[in-house]
Amino acid sequence: MRERRCPAEEYYVQREVLDEIRLDEVAEKETCSTEPSLTERVKESLRCSVPRVKQTVLNWVPVLGWLPHYSIRENAIGDLIAGCSVGIMHLPQGMAYALLASLRPVFGLYTSLYPVLVYFIFGTSRHISLGTFAVISIMIGSVTERLAPDSNFIVNGTNGTESVDIDERDARRVQIACTLTVLTGIFQFLLGVVRFGFVVTYLSEPLVRGYTTGSACHVSISQLKYVFGVKTARYAGPLSLIYTLVDICRLLPQTKVPELVVSLVAISVLIVVKEINDCYKQKLPLPIPIELIVIIGATIITHFCGLTSKYNIDVVGEIPSGLKAPRAPDVTLFSHVIGDAFAVAIVGYAINISLGKTFALKHGYKVDSNQELVALGLSNTIGGFFQCYSVTSSLSRSLIQESTGGKTQVAGVISSVIVLITVLKIGALFEDLPKAVLSTIVFVNLKGMYKQVLDVPMLWRTNKVDLLVWLVTFTSTILLNLDLGLAVSVAFSMLTFIFRTQLPRYSVLGHVPGTDLYLDTDSYKQAKEIPGIKIFRSSATIYYTNAEMYLEALQEKVFSAGVNGLSQGNGVALHGKETSTHHLSKGQVNWAYQQDTAMFDSDTECHNGIQNIYEDIEENEKACVSGTHSIILDMSTTSFVDTVAVKTLKNIFRDFGEIDMDIYLAGCQACVVEQLETADFFSKNIPKTRLFVTVHDAVLHILKQKGQSLPLVNRLTFNILID
């Protein structure tokens, strides 16, 4: 092969026409596989050596690989500043998001402590901040309220009134949340061990963004009761969001004005200062910790002004100092929360890995998706024993950790130290913090999720299928609650994928003058069909779900509209057993499941049937069919073939051959050729010489066999020798 470059960026190639047999000779195809056998791979995996053990330990415990090489000079200052900044954010967010999980605020602080330390040891991302997150918190809250509603803890008062035993209810909800968290961690750990990190690929970006936007609506509605100071009923299941919103609207006349005023003031201050942080983030050395300032200010004002006693403002209440002893989960609850645990595991991992890969791509390092599953699973499992609920990474905290100079997860350890100090010594000082202030912190931090609504006009312009996934996900999450909404969303997303593979675009290709290109004749005016040769291509892989449609489309494209006897009704195979004088049966036949005459030579009924059909076709129809003598199937888009596809191709060769049409394959990938060989596709009736490297190779071969020449060949920018 000779090739030379020209200044006009044209190229000239001179080579022989290559079919698959000749390609194997020219390219010197390997006759035996270079991949190790299954037995060899098992032996290799069981082989033990010092380097192998060391590498295995480093893979499972990544901190041992990077911490000994930690550069204090380059990383310490940035990690210290980032750790302090994130730790300050952990305090208000931890307490606020605990309310979403229907737990006391102190459990949000525990959740911001233990899992972060575990991730420091096992995680591979250098920049994400693990801890509480709004979407995961509301998913946990839906479970705790469903399994431990207020109605289960009603006690009779001394004066005959009924009240809720708050302490017993909260203890039960903590037990449920911790049990759910442990099971979530077990799922994530096991999926990581079996290298199942790719499972998150089934959650497309439109699905995740639509789901988190719908979850943000759940979060907002759940916090309105604290803003208005009303007591709403607890709803669970489908339409619970609608019922809650209607209930809040019904109770608006009972709004506590002092709590509403506190909420409005707090939310105004938060919005203004956060906008200042965004506008001057290039000039400010650190963002203003307005959330911490607001909760400190609100606590001081509430305590010294006596707002709790004067206006009956609902406050956080007792925050016990010190750490809790580890506690085993209630395994009897596993059967009640197994579905919720799997949903939390998948959603938490999807958020975590998407953020991790974003920062890894930006800073030029690799995040191991399977190890991330293991790290997140261990963080949840161990955290669940220490009365933490499920965690994932937070976008707002991760951005702060990265933008303030954080280089490693040492920043996470420093943030945990700040949370630990708060839990041990300072936590009791926040007992007079109004819950309405924590709710406003949640509202303001949902800004990024609500901005995802802007995806709708963008997807309308770029991809309407993804828009449909986004809208269905958002709607199902709103109406069906978080667990059912996720299941419906994933199912619908998979259906769109199936429909896209079942309904590909089928094209007849034409030759572009002066090139070796063959393009869709419906899309390109200069693409002209070669007389007598029909080149057919599908935009999707041929397999069992679309094999029949592939055949129908091939019939429609090959035979002109005048040959109605060949394709009536829903489409008919060429070798139907039942015939009539002038037309075929209207029944739909799947060629892939018809007997293969190449394998069953005694099947003469099919042969006689097709002969009878074409003996009865009108003369003008025969003339139309006889115009095409060769069909080239462009297989370049096919990535695999299954047994149905193999049988389908065999039947195409057989049945078109019986009406004197030659079938050729072109552009098969090497893996597809190997699969065809394994399936015994090639035989005396279908030799390998019918398989060509490119469509143009097949065209030139056909022209030579028919003793024809194509004027276009003389005007090609490159020449291919046929001899």
Side-chain angles (χ1 to χ4, degrees):
M1 182 180 292
R2 303 191 299 275
E3 180 176 332
R4 56 190 176 89
R5 287 277 178 183
C6 297
E9 295 190 359
E10 296 179 347
Y11 67 90
Y12 296 82
V13 177
Q14 188 174 9
R15 66 168 174 84
E16 62 180 303
V17 171
L18 296 175
D19 58 26
E20 190 64 27
I21 294 178
R22 183 60 183 147
L23 175 65
D24 293 347
E25 297 173 356
V26 172
E28 299 182 359
K29 182 179 179 180
E30 294 284 352
T31 56
C32 59
S33 177
T34 57
E35 295 184 0
S37 64
L38 177 60
T39 303
E40 293 173 340
R41 290 199 297 267
V42 172
K43 288 181 179 179
E44 180 63 25
S45 64
L46 296 178
R47 186 174 291 119
C48 184
S49 63
V50 174
R52 185 177 183 84
V53 171
K54 180 180 178 181
Q55 186 60 45
T56 301
V57 172
L58 292 179
N59 288 339
W60 283 89
V61 190
V63 69
L64 299 178
W66 62 265
L67 189 59
H69 307 288
Y70 183 81
S71 175
I72 297 178
R73 177 179 298 179
E74 295 179 2
N75 302 328
I77 299 299
D79 285 341
L80 178 63
I81 296 173
C84 293
S85 303
V86 172
I88 290 172
M89 291 185 68
H90 266 304
L91 301 180
Q93 288 188 5
M95 290 189 289
Y97 292 157
L99 295 181
L100 293 178
S102 298
L103 304 175
R104 290 184 177 180
V106 69
F107 295 101
L109 297 179
Y110 296 155
T111 305
S112 302
L113 172 60
Y114 295 106
V116 178
L117 297 176
V118 177
Y119 185 83
F120 166 78
I121 299 172
F122 298 101
T124 59
S125 175
R126 304 173 189 173
H127 295 91
I128 63 172
S129 173
L130 210 68
T132 55
F133 186 64
V135 174
I136 300 298
S137 299
I138 195 69
M139 293 178 76
I140 299 295
S142 66
V143 179
T144 57
E145 291 185 2
R146 184 184 78 233
L147 297 181
D150 289 346
S151 57
N152 288 2
F153 303 94
I154 300 296
V155 295
N156 295 322
T158 55
N159 55 358
T161 59
E162 293 183 346
S163 61
V164 178
D165 189 339
I166 301 296
D167 293 335
E168 185 179 351
R169 182 202 66 183
D170 289 350
R172 182 59 175 168
R173 287 182 176 178
V174 170
Q175 189 178 41
I176 294 171
C178 294
T179 301
L180 174 62
T181 299
V182 170
L183 188 56
T184 297
I186 292 173
F187 277 136
Q188 292 171 331
F189 179 79
L190 293 178
L191 289 174
V193 169
V194 299
R195 323 309 287 171
F196 215 63
F198 69 89
V199 69
V200 76
T201 59
Y202 291 99
L203 300 180
S204 64
E205 184 178 0
L207 187 150
V208 172
R209 293 174 71 86
Y211 183 77
T212 52
T213 306
S215 301
C217 295
H218 279 275
V219 172
S220 299
I221 299 301
S222 69
Q223 296 302 289
L224 287 177
K225 60 185 178 182
Y226 297 114
V227 172
F228 293 105
V230 295
K231 302 288 186 180
T232 61
R234 306 273 185 179
Y235 299 98
L239 300 179
S240 60
L241 180 71
I242 307 300
Y243 293 142
T244 302
L245 184 60
V246 170
D247 203 20
I248 290 174
C249 293
R250 181 179 59 82
L251 295 173
L252 284 181
Q254 303 176 21
T255 299
K256 293 182 180 179
V257 177
E259 292 205 19
L260 180 61
V261 171
V262 169
S263 301
L264 293 177
V265 172
I267 201 169
S268 300
V269 173
L270 287 168
I271 290 175
V272 170
V273 177
K274 279 183 174 288
E275 288 299 320
I276 293 174
N277 282 339
D278 289 339
C279 293
Y280 297 99
K281 60 184 177 182
Q282 302 296 336
K283 298 181 180 180
L284 292 172
L286 291 174
I288 301 172
I290 186 58
E291 294 171 333
L292 184 62
I293 293 173
V294 165
I295 66 170
I296 292 175
T299 303
I300 293 174
I301 292 173
T302 303
H303 179 75
F304 288 102
C305 294
L307 299 183
T308 305
S309 57
K310 289 182 180 179
Y311 302 106
N312 197 26
I313 290 180
D314 194 11
V315 295
V316 168
E318 181 185 2
I319 299 180
S321 298
L323 301 174
K324 299 286 186 179
R327 182 179 176 184
D330 184 0
V331 295
T332 60
L333 289 173
F334 280 179
S335 60
H336 299 283
V337 300
I338 185 170
D340 302 285
F342 190 77
V344 172
I346 297 300
V347 173
Y349 174 64
I351 296 170
N352 194 75
I353 195 63
S354 61
L355 277 179
K357 288 190 173 182
T358 299
F359 287 115
L361 183 64
K362 180 178 180 180
H363 293 277
Y365 62 93
K366 183 180 179 181
V367 169
D368 187 337
S369 58
N370 292 306
Q371 182 60 28
E372 284 297 295
L373 260 177
V374 171
L376 199 60
L378 290 174
S379 298
N380 280 321
T381 302
I382 296 174
F385 282 92
F386 288 90
Q387 301 190 24
C388 305
Y389 65 88
S390 294
V391 296
T392 189
S393 53
S394 163
L395 176 60
S396 59
R397 292 195 306 269
S398 299
L399 286 173
I400 293 298
Q401 181 166 319
E402 186 249 359
S403 62
T404 53
K407 301 291 181 63
T408 69
Q409 281 299 327
V410 171
V413 175
I414 295 172
S415 69
S416 297
V417 172
I418 293 176
V419 175
L420 178 62
I421 294 173
T422 303
V423 171
L424 294 178
K425 300 295 182 182
I426 309 176
L429 299 178
F430 293 104
E431 292 180 355
D432 288 328
L433 172 64
K435 290 183 178 179
V437 173
L438 293 178
S439 297
T440 60
I441 293 174
V442 173
F443 273 118
V444 174
N445 284 322
L446 293 175
K447 173 187 173 184
M449 292 188 189
Y450 281 122
K451 289 177 69 175
Q452 293 176 156
V453 175
L454 299 176
D455 291 350
V456 173
M458 183 271 292
L459 292 174
W460 174 261
R461 296 190 303 269
T462 58
N463 192 313
K464 290 182 174 56
V465 175
D466 283 345
L467 172 62
L468 195 59
V469 171
W470 196 102
L471 292 175
V472 169
T473 302
F474 176 78
T475 305
S476 60
T477 304
I478 292 290
L479 298 179
L480 302 178
N481 220 337
L482 297 173
D483 47 0
L484 287 177
L486 179 62
V488 170
S489 304
V490 173
F492 182 80
S493 181
M494 295 299 294
L495 284 176
T496 62
F497 170 77
I498 293 172
F499 286 143
R500 279 192 261 193
T501 58
Q502 282 192 312
L503 301 173
R505 180 174 180 175
Y506 299 106
S507 309
V508 171
L509 306 184
H511 180 235
V512 179
T515 73
D516 66 334
L517 301 177
Y518 292 82
L519 304 177
D520 187 354
T521 55
D522 292 334
S523 302
Y524 296 89
K525 294 181 180 179
Q526 290 300 316
K528 306 296 183 182
E529 286 192 58
I530 301 171
I533 302 177
K534 192 73 69 171
I535 306 170
F536 181 73
R537 181 176 67 192
S538 168
S539 63
T541 292
I542 309 167
Y543 67 117
Y544 72 96
T545 65
N546 60 16
E548 185 174 349
M549 286 176 282
Y550 181 87
L551 295 171
E552 293 174 358
L554 178 61
Q555 286 181 265
E556 181 182 350
K557 298 291 186 181
V558 170
F559 301 108
S560 64
V563 193
N564 295 323
L566 295 175
S567 181
Q568 289 194 13
N570 294 328
V572 185
L574 290 175
H575 59 287
K577 292 185 179 181
E578 295 182 4
T579 63
S580 62
T581 305
H582 297 291
H583 62 276
L584 300 179
S585 169
K586 293 185 179 182
Q588 193 173 32
V589 180
N590 189 338
W591 286 16
Y593 293 100
Q594 304 306 308
Q595 288 187 339
D596 188 349
T597 56
M599 299 174 61
F600 302 98
D601 295 332
S602 61
D603 188 5
T604 58
E605 182 182 359
C606 180
H607 175 78
N608 295 332
I610 194 167
Q611 293 297 327
N612 293 334
I613 292 170
Y614 281 94
E615 287 174 359
D616 293 335
I617 294 179
E618 298 178 2
E619 292 299 324
N620 61 335
E621 293 175 342
K622 287 183 179 179
C624 184
V625 174
S626 62
T628 299
H629 54 71
S630 300
I631 299 174
I632 301 173
L633 304 180
D634 183 358
M635 305 287 288
S636 57
T637 59
T638 299
S639 58
F640 69 92
V641 288
D642 58 8
T643 55
V644 175
V646 171
K647 290 181 180 180
T648 300
L649 292 174
K650 282 185 178 182
N651 290 332
I652 290 175
F653 271 86
R654 178 195 63 199
D655 294 309
F656 279 95
E658 291 183 345
I659 55 173
D660 297 327
M661 287 191 187
D662 295 327
I663 306 295
Y664 298 88
L665 303 181
C668 286
Q669 301 179 44
C671 61
V672 174
V673 176
E674 292 177 1
Q675 292 168 6
L676 291 174
E677 291 174 338
T678 304
D680 294 328
F681 175 75
F682 298 106
S683 63
K684 180 180 179 181
N685 295 327
I686 310 176
K688 250 190 174 183
T689 53
R690 294 291 186 94
L691 176 56
F692 287 87
V693 177
T694 67
V695 171
H696 196 64
D697 285 278
V699 169
L700 294 179
H701 172 78
I702 294 169
L703 293 178
K704 180 185 177 183
Q705 293 294 317
K706 298 298 180 181
Q708 300 176 5
S709 61
L710 193 63
L712 299 176
V713 174
N714 298 329
R715 301 201 302 272
L716 292 178
T717 58
F718 65 97
N719 299 314
I720 297 181
L721 297 181
I722 298 179
D723 295 324

